[in-house]
Amino acid sequence: MASFFIILIGFFIVIANIIGFLSYRKKRNLYFAAFTILLLAVLFGSIGSALAVFIIRDPFAIFYGLQVGYYLLINSVIVLFIAILVTVIKRYNSSIT
């Protein structure tokens, strides 16, 4: 059962990053992509919780789904830090030239 949720975590992280990349391509804003991934963390966390409750049939199984959301939140924080780093590097390079 644990391997199912590990696969689910990996699948949701890949899908969230692909959707975040597509939103970046559309808006050309890294912060918007990070916010999109943050919203998808909430959505996929709730989907993971619902799947866990339906599969395991135990009320405490909701914590497996919340773990899926937790890893997606970590992923969105990493994307936000990358967006901040890119902004700082761009401003630093523009001030030098």
Side-chain angles (χ1 to χ4, degrees), residues 16-17 20 31-45 69 72-77 79-80:
N17 285 331
Y31 296 107
F32 183 76
F35 184 67
T36 302
I37 294 174
L38 178 68
L39 291 178
L40 287 172
V42 174
L43 176 70
F44 289 157
L72 285 166
L73 282 174
I74 291 173
N75 183 36
S76 67
V77 167
V79 171
L80 179 65

Side-chain angles (χ1 to χ4, degrees), residues 88-97:
V88 168
I89 291 172
K90 279 184 179 180
R91 289 193 180 167
Y92 179 73
N93 283 339
S94 67
S95 66
I96 291 175
T97 59

Side-chain angles (χ1 to χ4, degrees), residues 20-86:
F21 176 71
L22 293 176
S23 69
Y24 169 72
R25 294 279 304 245
K26 184 177 180 184
K27 298 279 187 177
R28 290 289 181 196
N29 189 350
L30 282 174
Y31 296 107
F32 183 76
F35 184 67
T36 302
I37 294 174
L38 178 68
L39 291 178
L40 287 172
V42 174
L43 176 70
F44 289 157
S46 62
I47 290 172
S49 296
L51 279 173
V53 168
F54 288 132
I55 291 172
I56 299 176
R57 298 199 183 272
D58 183 22
F60 291 105
I62 198 166
F63 295 115
Y64 282 113
L66 292 177
Q67 187 177 10
V68 172
Y70 172 71
Y71 285 115
L72 285 166
L73 282 174
I74 291 173
N75 183 36
S76 67
V77 167
I78 291 171
V79 171
L80 179 65
F81 283 145
I82 290 172
I84 291 170
L85 183 66
V86 166

